[in-house]
Amino acid sequence: MHRVLEGQLVLKGSEKVAVLAARFNHLITDRLVEGALDCFRRHGGDLKNLTLVKVPGAYELPFVLDKLLSSKKYDGVCVLGAVIRGSTPHFDYVSAEATKGIANTTLKYGLPVSFGLLTTDNIEQALERAGTKAGNKGAAAMDTLIELLSLYSAF
């Protein structure tokens, strides 16, 4: 028999969580935040233990994530944003740097971080992922964070 460590989708209620969200494309990100907050509450989280932090855009997410994790005030962070492809290469730079920055910062601190940064070709795809056809990826990112919090406590 082998040992299996796996997180559960249940919060104790005492976890301190930050939701870090980019304001750019707020039509999308506001819905992602709503999904994350609803998910947190439905899984037993106390909203007084949740802090919502908003930054101008996706490019700023890694810098503020670093500040949140280094503060040691949070057990985990759910990162949300939306980068939508346009007619210039700006999308490629922003999405790549935000993704790398979030990953590097997560590894630097070794704390639970979930990745809810949408990178879509158009607004329709983003809307689908913000609560229509493809579900709400903000809720999915919070599900991931909750499972990670549970798993980390098992270590």
Side-chain angles (χ1 to χ4, degrees):
M1 182 74 177
H2 61 281
R3 183 172 179 209
V4 176
L5 292 177
E6 187 173 28
Q8 303 299 313
L9 284 174
V10 177
L11 290 164
K12 297 176 210 158
S14 60
E15 295 87 350
K16 304 282 189 216
V17 169
V19 173
L20 174 58
R23 284 192 319 263
F24 200 81
N25 292 317
H26 73 90
L27 175 69
I28 306 302
T29 59
D30 289 351
R31 288 182 170 93
L32 297 175
V33 169
E34 288 170 11
L37 297 179
D38 183 58
C39 179
F40 182 76
R41 185 185 53 76
R42 287 177 182 262
H43 287 297
D46 188 338
L47 288 178
K48 70 181 178 207
N49 291 333
L50 188 141
T51 302
L52 174 60
V53 179
K54 294 186 176 186
V55 298
Y59 190 80
E60 292 76 29
L61 291 169
F63 172 75
V64 177
L65 177 61
D66 188 274
K67 294 295 181 193
L68 290 170
L69 295 176
S70 70
S71 77
K72 299 185 178 170
K73 293 179 182 177
Y74 303 98
D75 299 309
V77 180
C78 177
V79 180
L80 305 172
V83 185
I84 301 170
R85 189 178 299 279
S87 57
T88 69
H90 184 74
F91 168 91
D92 299 312
Y93 300 119
V94 172
S95 60
E97 294 307 314
T99 300
K100 282 191 287 187
I102 293 165
N104 288 337
T105 304
T106 300
L107 292 171
K108 176 180 174 182
Y109 291 98
L111 291 171
V113 174
S114 64
F115 183 79
L117 178 63
L118 301 181
T119 53
T120 63
D121 288 326
N122 53 54
I123 188 111
E124 292 79 17
Q125 289 176 346
L127 284 167
E128 287 175 1
R129 287 156 181 77
T132 61
K133 291 181 186 177
N136 187 305
K137 299 306 179 188
M142 183 57 76
D143 271 345
T144 298
L145 182 62
I146 291 168
E147 188 170 337
L148 285 174
L149 288 166
S150 171
L151 180 60
Y152 274 48
S153 70
F155 290 131

mmCIF file with all atom_site columns, all heavy atoms in Angstrom, residues 19 21-37 52 54 80-82 130 136 138:
data_model
loop_
_atom_site.group_PDB
_atom_site.id
_atom_site.type_symbol
_atom_site.label_atom_id
_atom_site.label_alt_id
_atom_site.label_comp_id
_atom_site.label_asym_id
_atom_site.label_entity_id
_atom_site.label_seq_id
_atom_site.pdbx_PDB_ins_code
_atom_site.Cartn_x
_atom_site.Cartn_y
_atom_site.Cartn_z
_atom_site.occupancy
_atom_site.B_iso_or_equiv
_atom_site.pdbx_formal_charge
_atom_site.auth_seq_id
_atom_site.auth_comp_id
_atom_site.auth_asym_id
_atom_site.auth_atom_id
_atom_site.pdbx_PDB_model_num
ATOM 1   N N   . VAL A 1 19  ? -7.115  37.667 -2.364  1.00 0.00 ? 19  VAL A N   1
ATOM 2   C CA  . VAL A 1 19  ? -7.452  37.570 -3.782  1.00 0.00 ? 19  VAL A CA  1
ATOM 3   C C   . VAL A 1 19  ? -6.787  38.770 -4.428  1.00 0.00 ? 19  VAL A C   1
ATOM 4   O O   . VAL A 1 19  ? -7.065  39.915 -4.059  1.00 0.00 ? 19  VAL A O   1
ATOM 5   C CB  . VAL A 1 19  ? -8.977  37.587 -4.017  1.00 0.00 ? 19  VAL A CB  1
ATOM 6   C CG1 . VAL A 1 19  ? -9.285  37.670 -5.508  1.00 0.00 ? 19  VAL A CG1 1
ATOM 7   C CG2 . VAL A 1 19  ? -9.625  36.356 -3.405  1.00 0.00 ? 19  VAL A CG2 1
ATOM 8   N N   . ALA A 1 21  ? -6.259  40.761 -7.792  1.00 0.00 ? 21  ALA A N   1
ATOM 9   C CA  . ALA A 1 21  ? -6.939  40.878 -9.081  1.00 0.00 ? 21  ALA A CA  1
ATOM 10  C C   . ALA A 1 21  ? -6.482  42.111 -9.856  1.00 0.00 ? 21  ALA A C   1
ATOM 11  O O   . ALA A 1 21  ? -6.341  43.203 -9.288  1.00 0.00 ? 21  ALA A O   1
ATOM 12  C CB  . ALA A 1 21  ? -8.447  40.945 -8.866  1.00 0.00 ? 21  ALA A CB  1
ATOM 13  N N   . ALA A 1 22  ? -6.300  41.912 -11.154 1.00 0.00 ? 22  ALA A N   1
ATOM 14  C CA  . ALA A 1 22  ? -6.001  43.026 -12.055 1.00 0.00 ? 22  ALA A CA  1
ATOM 15  C C   . ALA A 1 22  ? -7.312  43.724 -12.417 1.00 0.00 ? 22  ALA A C   1
ATOM 16  O O   . ALA A 1 22  ? -8.314  43.073 -12.682 1.00 0.00 ? 22  ALA A O   1
ATOM 17  C CB  . ALA A 1 22  ? -5.310  42.507 -13.318 1.00 0.00 ? 22  ALA A CB  1
ATOM 18  N N   . ARG A 1 23  ? -7.301  45.051 -12.421 1.00 0.00 ? 23  ARG A N   1
ATOM 19  C CA  . ARG A 1 23  ? -8.502  45.815 -12.778 1.00 0.00 ? 23  ARG A CA  1
ATOM 20  C C   . ARG A 1 23  ? -8.699  45.903 -14.287 1.00 0.00 ? 23  ARG A C   1
ATOM 21  O O   . ARG A 1 23  ? -9.826  46.047 -14.743 1.00 0.00 ? 23  ARG A O   1
ATOM 22  C CB  . ARG A 1 23  ? -8.421  47.235 -12.207 1.00 0.00 ? 23  ARG A CB  1
ATOM 23  C CG  . ARG A 1 23  ? -8.692  47.319 -10.736 1.00 0.00 ? 23  ARG A CG  1
ATOM 24  C CD  . ARG A 1 23  ? -8.892  48.758 -10.266 1.00 0.00 ? 23  ARG A CD  1
ATOM 25  N NE  . ARG A 1 23  ? -7.989  49.698 -10.871 1.00 0.00 ? 23  ARG A NE  1
ATOM 26  C CZ  . ARG A 1 23  ? -6.865  50.128 -10.314 1.00 0.00 ? 23  ARG A CZ  1
ATOM 27  N NH1 . ARG A 1 23  ? -6.484  49.698 -9.135  1.00 0.00 ? 23  ARG A NH1 1
ATOM 28  N NH2 . ARG A 1 23  ? -6.103  51.004 -10.934 1.00 0.00 ? 23  ARG A NH2 1
ATOM 29  N N   . PHE A 1 24  ? -7.626  45.859 -15.059 1.00 0.00 ? 24  PHE A N   1
ATOM 30  C CA  . PHE A 1 24  ? -7.755  45.983 -16.510 1.00 0.00 ? 24  PHE A CA  1
ATOM 31  C C   . PHE A 1 24  ? -8.655  44.865 -17.017 1.00 0.00 ? 24  PHE A C   1
ATOM 32  O O   . PHE A 1 24  ? -8.576  43.740 -16.535 1.00 0.00 ? 24  PHE A O   1
ATOM 33  C CB  . PHE A 1 24  ? -6.368  45.922 -17.177 1.00 0.00 ? 24  PHE A CB  1
ATOM 34  C CG  . PHE A 1 24  ? -6.357  46.494 -18.557 1.00 0.00 ? 24  PHE A CG  1
ATOM 35  C CD1 . PHE A 1 24  ? -6.274  47.865 -18.754 1.00 0.00 ? 24  PHE A CD1 1
ATOM 36  C CD2 . PHE A 1 24  ? -6.456  45.665 -19.655 1.00 0.00 ? 24  PHE A CD2 1
ATOM 37  C CE1 . PHE A 1 24  ? -6.270  48.399 -20.038 1.00 0.00 ? 24  PHE A CE1 1
ATOM 38  C CE2 . PHE A 1 24  ? -6.455  46.193 -20.941 1.00 0.00 ? 24  PHE A CE2 1
ATOM 39  C CZ  . PHE A 1 24  ? -6.365  47.555 -21.132 1.00 0.00 ? 24  PHE A CZ  1
ATOM 40  N N   . ASN A 1 25  ? -9.502  45.169 -17.964 1.00 0.00 ? 25  ASN A N   1
ATOM 41  C CA  . ASN A 1 25  ? -10.546 44.247 -18.436 1.00 0.00 ? 25  ASN A CA  1
ATOM 42  C C   . ASN A 1 25  ? -11.513 43.920 -17.305 1.00 0.00 ? 25  ASN A C   1
ATOM 43  O O   . ASN A 1 25  ? -11.916 42.780 -17.113 1.00 0.00 ? 25  ASN A O   1
ATOM 44  C CB  . ASN A 1 25  ? -9.948  42.968 -19.037 1.00 0.00 ? 25  ASN A CB  1
ATOM 45  C CG  . ASN A 1 25  ? -9.224  43.229 -20.330 1.00 0.00 ? 25  ASN A CG  1
ATOM 46  O OD1 . ASN A 1 25  ? -9.706  43.971 -21.183 1.00 0.00 ? 25  ASN A OD1 1
ATOM 47  N ND2 . ASN A 1 25  ? -8.056  42.631 -20.494 1.00 0.00 ? 25  ASN A ND2 1
ATOM 48  N N   . HIS A 1 26  ? -11.886 44.953 -16.553 1.00 0.00 ? 26  HIS A N   1
ATOM 49  C CA  . HIS A 1 26  ? -12.703 44.765 -15.351 1.00 0.00 ? 26  HIS A CA  1
ATOM 50  C C   . HIS A 1 26  ? -14.048 44.105 -15.637 1.00 0.00 ? 26  HIS A C   1
ATOM 51  O O   . HIS A 1 26  ? -14.608 43.460 -14.744 1.00 0.00 ? 26  HIS A O   1
ATOM 52  C CB  . HIS A 1 26  ? -12.886 46.078 -14.594 1.00 0.00 ? 26  HIS A CB  1
ATOM 53  C CG  . HIS A 1 26  ? -13.815 47.037 -15.257 1.00 0.00 ? 26  HIS A CG  1
ATOM 54  N ND1 . HIS A 1 26  ? -15.156 47.046 -15.009 1.00 0.00 ? 26  HIS A ND1 1
ATOM 55  C CD2 . HIS A 1 26  ? -13.576 48.004 -16.173 1.00 0.00 ? 26  HIS A CD2 1
ATOM 56  C CE1 . HIS A 1 26  ? -15.725 47.983 -15.739 1.00 0.00 ? 26  HIS A CE1 1
ATOM 57  N NE2 . HIS A 1 26  ? -14.788 48.574 -16.457 1.00 0.00 ? 26  HIS A NE2 1
ATOM 58  N N   . LEU A 1 27  ? -14.556 44.213 -16.835 1.00 0.00 ? 27  LEU A N   1
ATOM 59  C CA  . LEU A 1 27  ? -15.794 43.502 -17.178 1.00 0.00 ? 27  LEU A CA  1
ATOM 60  C C   . LEU A 1 27  ? -15.618 42.006 -16.927 1.00 0.00 ? 27  LEU A C   1
ATOM 61  O O   . LEU A 1 27  ? -16.529 41.332 -16.456 1.00 0.00 ? 27  LEU A O   1
ATOM 62  C CB  . LEU A 1 27  ? -16.158 43.748 -18.652 1.00 0.00 ? 27  LEU A CB  1
ATOM 63  C CG  . LEU A 1 27  ? -17.351 42.978 -19.201 1.00 0.00 ? 27  LEU A CG  1
ATOM 64  C CD1 . LEU A 1 27  ? -18.638 43.482 -18.556 1.00 0.00 ? 27  LEU A CD1 1
ATOM 65  C CD2 . LEU A 1 27  ? -17.433 43.121 -20.710 1.00 0.00 ? 27  LEU A CD2 1
ATOM 66  N N   . ILE A 1 28  ? -14.431 41.505 -17.190 1.00 0.00 ? 28  ILE A N   1
ATOM 67  C CA  . ILE A 1 28  ? -14.103 40.095 -16.986 1.00 0.00 ? 28  ILE A CA  1
ATOM 68  C C   . ILE A 1 28  ? -13.641 39.858 -15.552 1.00 0.00 ? 28  ILE A C   1
ATOM 69  O O   . ILE A 1 28  ? -14.136 38.960 -14.862 1.00 0.00 ? 28  ILE A O   1
ATOM 70  C CB  . ILE A 1 28  ? -12.997 39.638 -17.968 1.00 0.00 ? 28  ILE A CB  1
ATOM 71  C CG1 . ILE A 1 28  ? -13.371 39.950 -19.416 1.00 0.00 ? 28  ILE A CG1 1
ATOM 72  C CG2 . ILE A 1 28  ? -12.645 38.175 -17.752 1.00 0.00 ? 28  ILE A CG2 1
ATOM 73  C CD1 . ILE A 1 28  ? -14.658 39.333 -19.887 1.00 0.00 ? 28  ILE A CD1 1
ATOM 74  N N   . THR A 1 29  ? -12.685 40.654 -15.103 1.00 0.00 ? 29  THR A N   1
ATOM 75  C CA  . THR A 1 29  ? -12.075 40.379 -13.795 1.00 0.00 ? 29  THR A CA  1
ATOM 76  C C   . THR A 1 29  ? -13.057 40.559 -12.640 1.00 0.00 ? 29  THR A C   1
ATOM 77  O O   . THR A 1 29  ? -12.952 39.851 -11.642 1.00 0.00 ? 29  THR A O   1
ATOM 78  C CB  . THR A 1 29  ? -10.807 41.218 -13.569 1.00 0.00 ? 29  THR A CB  1
ATOM 79  O OG1 . THR A 1 29  ? -11.130 42.608 -13.660 1.00 0.00 ? 29  THR A OG1 1
ATOM 80  C CG2 . THR A 1 29  ? -9.739  40.879 -14.605 1.00 0.00 ? 29  THR A CG2 1
ATOM 81  N N   . ASP A 1 30  ? -14.004 41.469 -12.763 1.00 0.00 ? 30  ASP A N   1
ATOM 82  C CA  . ASP A 1 30  ? -15.009 41.613 -11.706 1.00 0.00 ? 30  ASP A CA  1
ATOM 83  C C   . ASP A 1 30  ? -15.793 40.316 -11.535 1.00 0.00 ? 30  ASP A C   1
ATOM 84  O O   . ASP A 1 30  ? -16.101 39.900 -10.421 1.00 0.00 ? 30  ASP A O   1
ATOM 85  C CB  . ASP A 1 30  ? -15.969 42.762 -11.999 1.00 0.00 ? 30  ASP A CB  1
ATOM 86  C CG  . ASP A 1 30  ? -15.332 44.142 -11.853 1.00 0.00 ? 30  ASP A CG  1
ATOM 87  O OD1 . ASP A 1 30  ? -14.188 44.225 -11.357 1.00 0.00 ? 30  ASP A OD1 1
ATOM 88  O OD2 . ASP A 1 30  ? -15.980 45.133 -12.245 1.00 0.00 ? 30  ASP A OD2 1
ATOM 89  N N   . ARG A 1 31  ? -16.099 39.661 -12.633 1.00 0.00 ? 31  ARG A N   1
ATOM 90  C CA  . ARG A 1 31  ? -16.828 38.382 -12.572 1.00 0.00 ? 31  ARG A CA  1
ATOM 91  C C   . ARG A 1 31  ? -15.953 37.271 -11.995 1.00 0.00 ? 31  ARG A C   1
ATOM 92  O O   . ARG A 1 31  ? -16.435 36.393 -11.281 1.00 0.00 ? 31  ARG A O   1
ATOM 93  C CB  . ARG A 1 31  ? -17.333 38.002 -13.958 1.00 0.00 ? 31  ARG A CB  1
ATOM 94  C CG  . ARG A 1 31  ? -18.484 38.868 -14.422 1.00 0.00 ? 31  ARG A CG  1
ATOM 95  C CD  . ARG A 1 31  ? -18.991 38.431 -15.799 1.00 0.00 ? 31  ARG A CD  1
ATOM 96  N NE  . ARG A 1 31  ? -20.225 39.087 -16.132 1.00 0.00 ? 31  ARG A NE  1
ATOM 97  C CZ  . ARG A 1 31  ? -20.322 40.209 -16.819 1.00 0.00 ? 31  ARG A CZ  1
ATOM 98  N NH1 . ARG A 1 31  ? -19.222 40.821 -17.243 1.00 0.00 ? 31  ARG A NH1 1
ATOM 99  N NH2 . ARG A 1 31  ? -21.490 40.732 -17.096 1.00 0.00 ? 31  ARG A NH2 1
ATOM 100 N N   . LEU A 1 32  ? -14.666 37.292 -12.326 1.00 0.00 ? 32  LEU A N   1
ATOM 101 C CA  . LEU A 1 32  ? -13.743 36.304 -11.754 1.00 0.00 ? 32  LEU A CA  1
ATOM 102 C C   . LEU A 1 32  ? -13.662 36.469 -10.236 1.00 0.00 ? 32  LEU A C   1
ATOM 103 O O   . LEU A 1 32  ? -13.675 35.480 -9.500  1.00 0.00 ? 32  LEU A O   1
ATOM 104 C CB  . LEU A 1 32  ? -12.351 36.443 -12.381 1.00 0.00 ? 32  LEU A CB  1
ATOM 105 C CG  . LEU A 1 32  ? -12.225 36.172 -13.869 1.00 0.00 ? 32  LEU A CG  1
ATOM 106 C CD1 . LEU A 1 32  ? -10.807 36.469 -14.348 1.00 0.00 ? 32  LEU A CD1 1
ATOM 107 C CD2 . LEU A 1 32  ? -12.621 34.746 -14.209 1.00 0.00 ? 32  LEU A CD2 1
ATOM 108 N N   . VAL A 1 33  ? -13.584 37.714 -9.791  1.00 0.00 ? 33  VAL A N   1
ATOM 109 C CA  . VAL A 1 33  ? -13.521 37.990 -8.351  1.00 0.00 ? 33  VAL A CA  1
ATOM 110 C C   . VAL A 1 33  ? -14.800 37.512 -7.671  1.00 0.00 ? 33  VAL A C   1
ATOM 111 O O   . VAL A 1 33  ? -14.751 36.866 -6.615  1.00 0.00 ? 33  VAL A O   1
ATOM 112 C CB  . VAL A 1 33  ? -13.265 39.490 -8.078  1.00 0.00 ? 33  VAL A CB  1
ATOM 113 C CG1 . VAL A 1 33  ? -13.477 39.826 -6.606  1.00 0.00 ? 33  VAL A CG1 1
ATOM 114 C CG2 . VAL A 1 33  ? -11.864 39.883 -8.521  1.00 0.00 ? 33  VAL A CG2 1
ATOM 115 N N   . GLU A 1 34  ? -15.950 37.809 -8.257  1.00 0.00 ? 34  GLU A N   1
ATOM 116 C CA  . GLU A 1 34  ? -17.225 37.353 -7.691  1.00 0.00 ? 34  GLU A CA  1
ATOM 117 C C   . GLU A 1 34  ? -17.239 35.832 -7.539  1.00 0.00 ? 34  GLU A C   1
ATOM 118 O O   . GLU A 1 34  ? -17.672 35.303 -6.511  1.00 0.00 ? 34  GLU A O   1
ATOM 119 C CB  . GLU A 1 34  ? -18.393 37.781 -8.574  1.00 0.00 ? 34  GLU A CB  1
ATOM 120 C CG  . GLU A 1 34  ? -18.701 39.253 -8.530  1.00 0.00 ? 34  GLU A CG  1
ATOM 121 C CD  . GLU A 1 34  ? -19.714 39.669 -9.605  1.00 0.00 ? 34  GLU A CD  1
ATOM 122 O OE1 . GLU A 1 34  ? -20.327 38.783 -10.244 1.00 0.00 ? 34  GLU A OE1 1
ATOM 123 O OE2 . GLU A 1 34  ? -19.878 40.887 -9.798  1.00 0.00 ? 34  GLU A OE2 1
ATOM 124 N N   . GLY A 1 35  ? -16.767 35.132 -8.550  1.00 0.00 ? 35  GLY A N   1
ATOM 125 C CA  . GLY A 1 35  ? -16.712 33.671 -8.495  1.00 0.00 ? 35  GLY A CA  1
ATOM 126 C C   . GLY A 1 35  ? -15.793 33.173 -7.404  1.00 0.00 ? 35  GLY A C   1
ATOM 127 O O   . GLY A 1 35  ? -16.118 32.221 -6.683  1.00 0.00 ? 35  GLY A O   1
ATOM 128 N N   . ALA A 1 36  ? -14.630 33.814 -7.252  1.00 0.00 ? 36  ALA A N   1
ATOM 129 C CA  . ALA A 1 36  ? -13.667 33.409 -6.222  1.00 0.00 ? 36  ALA A CA  1
ATOM 130 C C   . ALA A 1 36  ? -14.225 33.644 -4.824  1.00 0.00 ? 36  ALA A C   1
ATOM 131 O O   . ALA A 1 36  ? -14.115 32.779 -3.944  1.00 0.00 ? 36  ALA A O   1
ATOM 132 C CB  . ALA A 1 36  ? -12.351 34.162 -6.412  1.00 0.00 ? 36  ALA A CB  1
ATOM 133 N N   . LEU A 1 37  ? -14.839 34.794 -4.605  1.00 0.00 ? 37  LEU A N   1
ATOM 134 C CA  . LEU A 1 37  ? -15.396 35.104 -3.288  1.00 0.00 ? 37  LEU A CA  1
ATOM 135 C C   . LEU A 1 37  ? -16.534 34.153 -2.931  1.00 0.00 ? 37  LEU A C   1
ATOM 136 O O   . LEU A 1 37  ? -16.619 33.663 -1.798  1.00 0.00 ? 37  LEU A O   1
ATOM 137 C CB  . LEU A 1 37  ? -15.887 36.553 -3.235  1.00 0.00 ? 37  LEU A CB  1
ATOM 138 C CG  . LEU A 1 37  ? -14.832 37.649 -3.422  1.00 0.00 ? 37  LEU A CG  1
ATOM 139 C CD1 . LEU A 1 37  ? -15.471 39.021 -3.361  1.00 0.00 ? 37  LEU A CD1 1
ATOM 140 C CD2 . LEU A 1 37  ? -13.714 37.525 -2.424  1.00 0.00 ? 37  LEU A CD2 1
ATOM 141 N N   . LEU A 1 52  ? -9.162  41.512 -0.527  1.00 0.00 ? 52  LEU A N   1
ATOM 142 C CA  . LEU A 1 52  ? -9.144  41.713 -1.967  1.00 0.00 ? 52  LEU A CA  1
ATOM 143 C C   . LEU A 1 52  ? -8.177  42.840 -2.274  1.00 0.00 ? 52  LEU A C   1
ATOM 144 O O   . LEU A 1 52  ? -8.308  43.943 -1.737  1.00 0.00 ? 52  LEU A O   1
ATOM 145 C CB  . LEU A 1 52  ? -10.546 42.058 -2.480  1.00 0.00 ? 52  LEU A CB  1
ATOM 146 C CG  . LEU A 1 52  ? -10.666 42.441 -3.951  1.00 0.00 ? 52  LEU A CG  1
ATOM 147 C CD1 . LEU A 1 52  ? -10.203 41.309 -4.863  1.00 0.00 ? 52  LEU A CD1 1
ATOM 148 C CD2 . LEU A 1 52  ? -12.103 42.844 -4.274  1.00 0.00 ? 52  LEU A CD2 1
ATOM 149 N N   . LYS A 1 54  ? -6.453  44.958 -5.448  1.00 0.00 ? 54  LYS A N   1
ATOM 150 C CA  . LYS A 1 54  ? -6.582  45.247 -6.878  1.00 0.00 ? 54  LYS A CA  1
ATOM 151 C C   . LYS A 1 54  ? -5.372  46.014 -7.367  1.00 0.00 ? 54  LYS A C   1
ATOM 152 O O   . LYS A 1 54  ? -4.896  46.932 -6.699  1.00 0.00 ? 54  LYS A O   1
ATOM 153 C CB  . LYS A 1 54  ? -7.854  46.045 -7.147  1.00 0.00 ? 54  LYS A CB  1
ATOM 154 C CG  . LYS A 1 54  ? -9.120  45.257 -6.862  1.00 0.00 ? 54  LYS A CG  1
ATOM 155 C CD  . LYS A 1 54  ? -10.345 46.036 -7.271  1.00 0.00 ? 54  LYS A CD  1
ATOM 156 C CE  . LYS A 1 54  ? -11.603 45.218 -7.078  1.00 0.00 ? 54  LYS A CE  1
ATOM 157 N NZ  . LYS A 1 54  ? -12.785 45.924 -7.599  1.00 0.00 ? 54  LYS A NZ  1
ATOM 158 N N   . LEU A 1 80  ? -5.922  36.618 -9.993  1.00 0.00 ? 80  LEU A N   1
ATOM 159 C CA  . LEU A 1 80  ? -6.912  36.695 -11.062 1.00 0.00 ? 80  LEU A CA  1
ATOM 160 C C   . LEU A 1 80  ? -6.619  37.858 -12.007 1.00 0.00 ? 80  LEU A C   1
ATOM 161 O O   . LEU A 1 80  ? -6.175  38.917 -11.579 1.00 0.00 ? 80  LEU A O   1
ATOM 162 C CB  . LEU A 1 80  ? -8.312  36.892 -10.473 1.00 0.00 ? 80  LEU A CB  1
ATOM 163 C CG  . LEU A 1 80  ? -8.784  35.874 -9.455  1.00 0.00 ? 80  LEU A CG  1
ATOM 164 C CD1 . LEU A 1 80  ? -10.107 36.326 -8.841  1.00 0.00 ? 80  LEU A CD1 1
ATOM 165 C CD2 . LEU A 1 80  ? -8.908  34.506 -10.088 1.00 0.00 ? 80  LEU A CD2 1
ATOM 166 N N   . GLY A 1 81  ? -6.901  37.642 -13.276 1.00 0.00 ? 81  GLY A N   1
ATOM 167 C CA  . GLY A 1 81  ? -6.752  38.711 -14.259 1.00 0.00 ? 81  GLY A CA  1
ATOM 168 C C   . GLY A 1 81  ? -7.167  38.219 -15.629 1.00 0.00 ? 81  GLY A C   1
ATOM 169 O O   . GLY A 1 81  ? -7.511  37.042 -15.806 1.00 0.00 ? 81  GLY A O   1
ATOM 170 N N   . ALA A 1 82  ? -7.138  39.129 -16.584 1.00 0.00 ? 82  ALA A N   1
ATOM 171 C CA  . ALA A 1 82  ? -7.499  38.776 -17.953 1.00 0.00 ? 82  ALA A CA  1
ATOM 172 C C   . ALA A 1 82  ? -6.661  39.590 -18.928 1.00 0.00 ? 82  ALA A C   1
ATOM 173 O O   . ALA A 1 82  ? -6.653  40.819 -18.871 1.00 0.00 ? 82  ALA A O   1
ATOM 174 C CB  . ALA A 1 82  ? -8.983  39.031 -18.201 1.00 0.00 ? 82  ALA A CB  1
ATOM 175 N N   . ALA A 1 130 ? -15.549 33.593 -17.700 1.00 0.00 ? 130 ALA A N   1
ATOM 176 C CA  . ALA A 1 130 ? -15.872 34.427 -16.541 1.00 0.00 ? 130 ALA A CA  1
ATOM 177 C C   . ALA A 1 130 ? -17.292 34.181 -16.047 1.00 0.00 ? 130 ALA A C   1
ATOM 178 O O   . ALA A 1 130 ? -17.874 35.015 -15.375 1.00 0.00 ? 130 ALA A O   1
ATOM 179 C CB  . ALA A 1 130 ? -15.673 35.900 -16.893 1.00 0.00 ? 130 ALA A CB  1
ATOM 180 N N   . ASN A 1 136 ? -16.852 29.590 -14.324 1.00 0.00 ? 136 ASN A N   1
ATOM 181 C CA  . ASN A 1 136 ? -16.161 30.763 -13.807 1.00 0.00 ? 136 ASN A CA  1
ATOM 182 C C   . ASN A 1 136 ? -14.771 30.352 -13.355 1.00 0.00 ? 136 ASN A C   1
ATOM 183 O O   . ASN A 1 136 ? -14.612 29.620 -12.373 1.00 0.00 ? 136 ASN A O   1
ATOM 184 C CB  . ASN A 1 136 ? -16.959 31.383 -12.654 1.00 0.00 ? 136 ASN A CB  1
ATOM 185 C CG  . ASN A 1 136 ? -16.371 32.690 -12.188 1.00 0.00 ? 136 ASN A CG  1
ATOM 186 O OD1 . ASN A 1 136 ? -15.201 32.753 -11.841 1.00 0.00 ? 136 ASN A OD1 1
ATOM 187 N ND2 . ASN A 1 136 ? -17.185 33.734 -12.173 1.00 0.00 ? 136 ASN A ND2 1
ATOM 188 N N   . GLY A 1 138 ? -12.558 32.136 -12.007 1.00 0.00 ? 138 GLY A N   1
ATOM 189 C CA  . GLY A 1 138 ? -12.226 32.695 -10.699 1.00 0.00 ? 138 GLY A CA  1
ATOM 190 C C   . GLY A 1 138 ? -12.590 31.710 -9.597  1.00 0.00 ? 138 GLY A C   1
ATOM 191 O O   . GLY A 1 138 ? -11.826 31.488 -8.658  1.00 0.00 ? 138 GLY A O   1
#
